[in-house]
Amino acid sequence: MALTAYNGVPIPSFMYGTAWKKEATSSLVQSAVESGFEAIDTANQLIHYEEARVGDALQALGEKGIPREKLFLQTKFTPVNGQDHRTPYNASADLATQVRQSFDSSLSHLHTECLDSYVLHGPYSRRGLGREDREVWAAMEGLYESGRTKMIGISNVVPDQLVQLCEQAAVMPMVVQNRCYAALGWDQEVREICRAHGIVYQGFSLLTANREFLVDPEIRTIAARLGTGPAQVLSRFAMMIGILPLTGTTSLQHMKEDLAAEQLELSKQEIRRIETIAL
Ligand SMILES: NC(=O)c1ccc[n+]([C@@H]2O[C@H](COP(=O)([O-])OP(=O)(O)OC[C@H]3O[C@@H](n4cnc5c(N)ncnc54)[C@H](OP(=O)(O)O)[C@@H]3O)[C@@H](O)[C@H]2O)c1
């Protein structure tokens, strides 16, 4: 099943995240795709991601008969404050140039001419949006309008920033990618803004940001009823309330179990209980 953003572009309903995989990135991406994942998330940010190794995996998959066109590729522009000395662009250039250089370098790492989704890793400002955010967003709009990416998005946003972006942008984001905390009603406020605008909400660190729920007796009871584990209950719950989950698993077994979660059916009461479990 796919989720569709307001511009009509579909995204597979589960995404494989490549952060912190280091030299294992290429083999894990290949395993994820061979297990059934069709969407890959990365970033042009060497502190946390190995985008070029994702590209190696894509080449290897191509040789095994799985072409790039079968996959949904998402990467990010990471502002200089999220980079170390290996910044993939000239950090003294103007911001529009930084975005273009980072984008071109991503295309080269990933051996592709076009992305499915290009995401601003995070606003420059903590609250509201500032001059830098507007300049970077305008450069991303230019990439979208040129057809070199099918979607643009933003990550690590708080509600007021997303509202402001939707009001001021010439092109609204098609995706939002946020850390999803149960204690915030699974980012309820941001999700509602997304729903109102036809933006696809991607939730990351569903497990690592909510570890206590992996041992929660109520989640365990639901998992036992469904004959699965708490991690799969959380992934399926996320999908059933409209979140596109990312998984960062390094285990082949977990990849298969996570993909199987799409077949699970939680009751309305179970969904309601998990939605409010930390409120
Ligand atoms: N935009 C941003 O700023 C940002 C920030 C962070 C992450 N992300 C994206 O989100 C992706 C996922 O983040 P994450 O790694 O924190 O996600 P995560 O899937 O919540 O956490 C990964 C952890 O959960 C465990 N796990 C995964 N599936 C499991 C299962 N079925 N059963 C038991 N344990 C399971 C993994 O262990 P095993 O390896 O043993 O399975 C690993 O310890 C990243 O790779 C990245 O693409 C984006």
Side-chain angles (χ1 to χ4, degrees):
M1 245 194 42
L3 294 165
T4 305
Y6 72 84
N7 67 341
V9 174
I11 314 186
S13 55
F14 211 161
M15 193 172 275
Y16 185 68
T18 62
W20 312 299
K21 307 292 183 285
K22 300 188 178 159
E23 53 284 344
T25 301
S26 174
S27 63
L28 284 168
V29 169
Q30 290 179 62
S31 301
V33 171
E34 286 167 341
S35 302
F37 282 94
E38 296 174 331
I40 306 292
D41 176 75
T42 184
N44 203 351
Q45 180 205 32
L46 277 166
I47 302 178
H48 299 303
Y49 296 82
E50 297 271 353
E51 193 183 51
R53 292 185 198 266
V54 175
D56 294 343
L58 297 173
Q59 279 195 320
L61 287 163
E63 282 159 22
K64 291 188 222 169
I66 305 175
R68 180 263 172 269
E69 295 68 38
K70 293 259 183 223
L71 301 172
F72 183 98
L73 288 186
Q74 173 172 280
T75 190
K76 309 185 193 84
F77 169 74
T78 308
V80 74
N81 57 10
Q83 302 277 2
D84 60 13
H85 61 284
R86 297 166 293 174
T87 306
Y89 47 80
N90 174 4
S92 357
D94 61 87
L95 290 169
T97 305
Q98 292 181 23
V99 173
R100 275 195 303 273
Q101 288 180 350
S102 192
F103 185 85
D104 287 343
S105 137
S106 288
L107 293 189
S108 154
H109 288 155
L110 297 170
H111 312 292
T112 186
E113 289 174 2
C114 168
L115 289 176
D116 296 285
S117 172
Y118 196 51
V119 172
L120 169 56
H121 213 148
Y124 289 71
S125 327
R126 283 195 163 209
R127 294 266 146 201
L129 298 175
R131 177 193 59 80
E132 292 103 326
D133 300 308
R134 283 190 289 276
E135 277 182 39
V136 164
W137 192 257
M140 295 189 39
E141 288 173 335
L143 292 169
Y144 174 70
E145 269 149 11
S146 73
R148 297 172 82 203
T149 180
K150 293 181 189 161
M151 294 188 178
I152 49 175
I154 189 159
S155 181
N156 298 302
V157 269
V158 294
D160 71 293
Q161 291 174 321
L162 184 56
V163 167
Q164 209 177 321
L165 187 60
C166 290
E167 281 170 3
Q168 296 175 351
V171 180
M172 280 195 312
M174 290 96 195
V175 301
V176 160
Q177 187 185 94
N178 264 7
R179 184 169 275 115
C180 201
Y181 289 105
L184 293 176
W186 308 91
D187 215 7
Q188 186 180 15
E189 242 187 291
V190 171
R191 285 192 291 115
E192 275 170 14
I193 301 164
C194 289
R195 193 174 305 127
H197 291 91
I199 299 167
V200 173
Y201 179 93
Q202 304 176 357
F204 67 79
S205 300
L206 279 160
L207 305 181
T208 45
N210 302 291
R211 284 189 196 280
E212 62 275 34
F213 298 108
L214 294 173
V215 290
D216 182 273
E218 288 185 81
I219 306 270
R220 284 186 172 265
T221 303
I222 299 170
R225 180 183 78 71
L226 294 167
T228 187
Q232 289 74 37
V233 170
L234 289 188
S235 296
R236 183 58 183 150
F237 155 75
M239 291 177 192
M240 289 183 80
I241 62 165
I243 294 174
L244 189 166
L246 285 107
T247 174
T249 187
T250 55
S251 143
L252 296 193
Q253 181 65 24
H254 290 163
M255 286 177 192
K256 293 195 179 93
E257 290 169 3
D258 288 351
L259 285 162
E262 205 153 356
Q263 310 308 323
L264 303 173
E265 273 310 313
L266 278 74
S267 69
K268 281 200 179 110
Q269 292 88 321
E270 287 168 338
I271 291 173
R272 183 72 197 130
R273 181 63 199 124
I274 301 173
E275 227 172 345
T276 52
I277 201 159
L279 299 181

